[in-house]
Amino acid sequence: MKKNLGVLLFMCVLSIGSWAAKPIIGALNTAKIDTNKVLQIIHISGTRYPQFFTGSKLLHIDSNQLNSFQQQSIAGTLAFKSPIFIKSYGPGMLATPSFRGGNANHTAIIWNGFNLQSPMNGQVDLNNIPSFLIDNIDIQFGSQSVLFGSGNIGGTVHLNNQLNPSRGKGLSVLLGTGSYGSNTVGIKFGIAGSKWQMEQKIFLEYANNNFAYKAIDAMYPKSRQTVDPNSLPTQYTTNAQRKNGAWVQAFAYTISHRQKLNIRTWLQNHERNIPPSLNGVNLNTQQKDESARAMLEYAYKYKAYELQARYGYFIDALTFKNDQTRESYSLASSQTAFIDQFYLKDKFQWHGSAMFQENKAQLRGVNMFWQQDKIALFSSVKVQHFDQKLKQQISVRQEWVDGKEIPIMPSYGISYKLSPNFYVDGNVSRNYRLPTFNDLYWPNMGNPNLQPEFGWNQEISIHGFESKNFRNFKGGYTGKSALVSGNITYFNKHIHNWIIWVPAGGNLSTPMNVYKVWSRGIELSWQVRLRNRKKSEIIFSGMHDYTQTTNQASVLMNDASLNKQLIYTPRIKHQMQIQYMRGTYAFQYIYNYIGTRFVSSDHSNWLMPYSLHGLNVSKKWTWFGKHWQTQILINNLFNTSYQIMVNQPMPLVNYQLSLNLKL
């Protein structure tokens, strides 16, 4: 019955879109379409948001904001510019996202429309990705399994690249240095003609990474008193060197005013030594991450109709070795093809999509090979009423994995504008995550009987803004203005069959469908912008999050985690910034607070909260007809001793200095 109901629901939404789109081809010649609006909605990059995220909250990090973090990885950028909690083991080490109380494999990392999550462990190491390679970031809050499939339970991070459509040549060079022997070089080169654009990005980084820290015992039981870090000697990490090289290419060709072709490639090699944990033995651990990614996109547009065909082929290899274990090598590859159709008008939008994916992985040395094939159909209908004050969207996804049908994934979103400056969003969706290859087949520990994680997500947001232009006592405009904006969101999420790894005897563990998890919380963000005749501007902003993520049920006997916050999930997170810009000078002050994180399921041990302060000062000028910019970024301004993951020290005060030249 459920199977028939799922197929019926999918066919219903597909039929609505097909019925509405049926007269499209015949009517295109006579339809009166606002072509500019159509071009603004759909882009060749294949990113089908935000027009199909009705009711979901979005956060945009533009190129100007990314400019302050060009020497850092995406992990560092998201830690300071988003509400995502980054579980970092140290500079250049493993860094994974935790969004709305979810695991690392619950947050999808999308690069120009293609998912980067590894089929091996479902994760993306954000310290592998330099911010220099990315032009802007969109963060979509909440579940979007209906759009992107497995692994989109907590939220989605979209890493976007955009070619400059203007003709001519452009060259930008980044030279950076910093604490602990850190040196970076970045080169961006672009050239464009009347019908084509090309861009190259090269990023090179080397760091000794022997950062200073205090060897504090940051894990506290209730009976222990806090130790003053200032009373401890300063120590330096060992075996922490790293080097990272990446090359990204993009090429776009306009075949005609209706057709366009886009090609992107991304090659990267990241080699790093992994330092021992506190009080651990140095095993000279080394890890090498290699990746090769290529994608091809074709788009055809005719007024309100668009067809997109996309293909991506990604390969990721990981080599790991130390003094105690022999070298291990894993290789994962993914081939994905999309066929998308769009029909977009002011009051009605339809999107139909088909996805075909093949995932493969192998472990060298144990002669193990795994493969997974996916087919997915997606359909979405969006309608707008009352002069676009009311927007509604219903979407549905049906997926088959190795020939087995995944239960239907529906989603409904609504947005209503109460006034020109005030509107309300709401969204409800079903979501899921498939077990990874590691979960299912890891030698001597995998569990091939695992079930997918399933759940429901609901959220509601209130958004508002108010702007004012100030006048003098005579009623004339003074040139001073103010803009106040903010939003508050409540989310509620239930996940069944939550997968965790549990002891299985000896030193082995195995994954099991153990928990039923309830995650809920409130997110508040605000911004105040004050401008004075465009000579100067000051911006105050903040993001504040409260997340309660508890285990409501367990298949384990006498499970001490019942009704308790999940480990490494902070309840409280605050971010506040002050930015001041005047002429060619810019000043930014950043404050981050991360609350208590429990590190044992019975809450008998925890990591203390910490606060971090940062300072960023930049200056632009013109010299010999060229555009220059210098910037200094100071991290951990007040020398805080802290740990994000237990027994993994983090650096004391450190700096990054950069020089950027644009030709």
Side-chain angles (χ1 to χ4, degrees), residues 262-448:
N262 192 7
I263 301 173
R264 298 184 189 275
T265 60
W266 179 357
L267 304 177
Q268 186 165 344
N269 183 303
H270 188 191
E271 299 180 28
R272 51 188 164 180
N273 295 345
I274 300 178
S277 59
L278 284 180
N279 304 318
V281 178
N282 185 6
L283 300 177
N284 297 310
T285 303
Q286 298 177 353
Q287 179 174 319
K288 180 192 292 186
D289 295 90
E290 301 170 284
S291 60
R293 302 172 179 127
M295 54 195 295
L296 173 67
E297 303 170 331
Y298 167 81
Y300 172 83
K301 295 181 180 181
Y302 189 68
K303 296 188 177 180
Y305 173 77
E306 176 166 350
L307 170 69
Q308 289 188 8
R310 299 180 289 136
Y311 172 78
Y313 185 43
F314 297 170
I315 301 175
D316 293 285
L318 188 149
T319 305
F320 182 90
K321 63 180 180 180
N322 59 32
D323 293 341
Q324 285 188 347
T325 61
R326 64 180 183 178
E327 180 178 290
S328 65
Y329 176 84
S330 63
L331 178 68
S333 66
S334 176
Q335 296 187 71
T336 308
F338 292 98
I339 299 176
D340 295 291
Q341 294 187 79
F342 302 88
Y343 177 60
L344 303 168
K345 294 189 70 174
D346 288 341
K347 295 184 179 181
F348 178 86
Q349 299 179 2
W350 173 71
H351 176 195
S353 177
M355 182 202 77
F356 308 90
Q357 186 177 73
E358 177 190 75
N359 294 319
K360 294 181 179 180
Q362 60 177 327
L363 288 178
R364 181 184 293 174
V366 294
N367 196 28
M368 300 193 73
F369 175 84
W370 312 303
Q371 180 172 333
Q372 183 183 75
D373 298 314
K374 296 181 183 180
I375 298 176
L377 298 177
F378 167 83
S379 185
S380 182
V381 173
K382 179 178 178 181
V383 293
Q384 304 182 64
H385 307 281
F386 312 121
D387 196 23
Q388 300 190 5
K389 289 184 178 180
L390 174 63
K391 302 177 182 178
Q392 297 183 84
Q393 179 180 326
I394 182 170
S395 306
V396 64
R397 182 187 185 92
Q398 181 64 72
E399 189 164 315
W400 294 264
V401 179
D402 293 330
K404 297 180 180 179
E405 184 179 279
I406 298 296
I408 203 81
M409 294 291 117
S411 173
Y412 173 75
I414 185 171
S415 178
Y416 185 72
K417 184 177 291 187
L418 300 174
S419 71
N421 298 348
F422 190 77
Y423 63 98
V424 179
D425 285 339
N427 181 274
V428 57
S429 63
R430 195 180 189 193
N431 46 80
Y432 76 107
R433 184 183 77 85
L434 296 170
T436 65
F437 284 148
N438 286 4
D439 293 332
L440 294 170
Y441 310 119
W442 193 258
N444 302 318
M445 291 185 285
N447 181 0

Side-chain angles (χ1 to χ4, degrees), residues 64-222:
N64 290 328
Q65 298 177 76
L66 279 176
N67 186 58
S68 302
F69 300 93
Q70 289 191 86
Q71 289 177 257
Q72 297 197 14
S73 67
I74 290 296
T77 300
L78 294 180
F80 282 102
K81 302 298 292 185
S82 81
I84 301 175
F85 175 55
I86 303 299
K87 296 180 179 178
S88 175
Y89 286 78
M93 302 301 110
L94 176 66
T96 57
S98 177
F99 206 164
R100 288 185 170 178
N103 287 335
N105 43 34
H106 290 165
T107 300
I109 309 298
I110 307 293
W111 176 57
N112 296 298
F114 287 86
N115 198 333
L116 296 181
Q117 284 175 294
S118 169
M120 293 287 289
N121 58 18
Q123 301 180 12
V124 176
D125 186 350
L126 298 177
N127 263 336
N128 275 342
I129 307 176
S131 295
F132 181 84
L133 302 179
I134 307 302
D135 294 323
N136 60 75
I137 300 175
D138 285 301
I139 299 172
Q140 181 268 322
F141 293 68
S143 306
Q144 280 296 333
S145 294
V146 67
L147 261 179
F148 298 105
S150 173
N152 292 261
I153 292 180
T156 309
V157 178
H158 300 269
L159 308 178
N160 307 316
N161 294 113
Q162 294 180 339
L163 286 170
N164 187 355
S166 60
R167 299 179 63 176
K169 300 178 181 178
L171 175 64
S172 176
V173 179
L174 171 71
L175 300 176
T177 188
S179 301
Y180 315 121
S182 172
N183 295 282
T184 57
V185 176
I187 300 173
K188 295 181 183 180
F189 173 74
I191 184 170
S194 59
K195 301 184 67 174
W196 57 274
Q197 300 91 39
M198 184 273 289
E199 185 178 67
Q200 306 275 336
K201 293 183 181 179
I202 299 174
F203 181 83
L204 301 172
E205 177 188 27
Y206 176 82
N208 290 323
N209 205 25
N210 56 334
F211 60 84
Y213 66 92
K214 299 285 188 178
I216 60 172
D217 185 357
M219 185 173 68
Y220 292 96
K222 296 179 181 179

Side-chain angles (χ1 to χ4, degrees), residues 65 68-69 81 577-580 586-590 614-617 633:
Q65 298 177 76
S68 302
F69 300 93
K81 302 298 292 185
Q577 299 183 26
I578 300 175
Q579 296 174 268
Y580 177 74
F587 168 91
Q588 184 180 34
Y589 181 83
I590 305 171
L615 186 64
N616 184 7
V617 181
L633 176 64

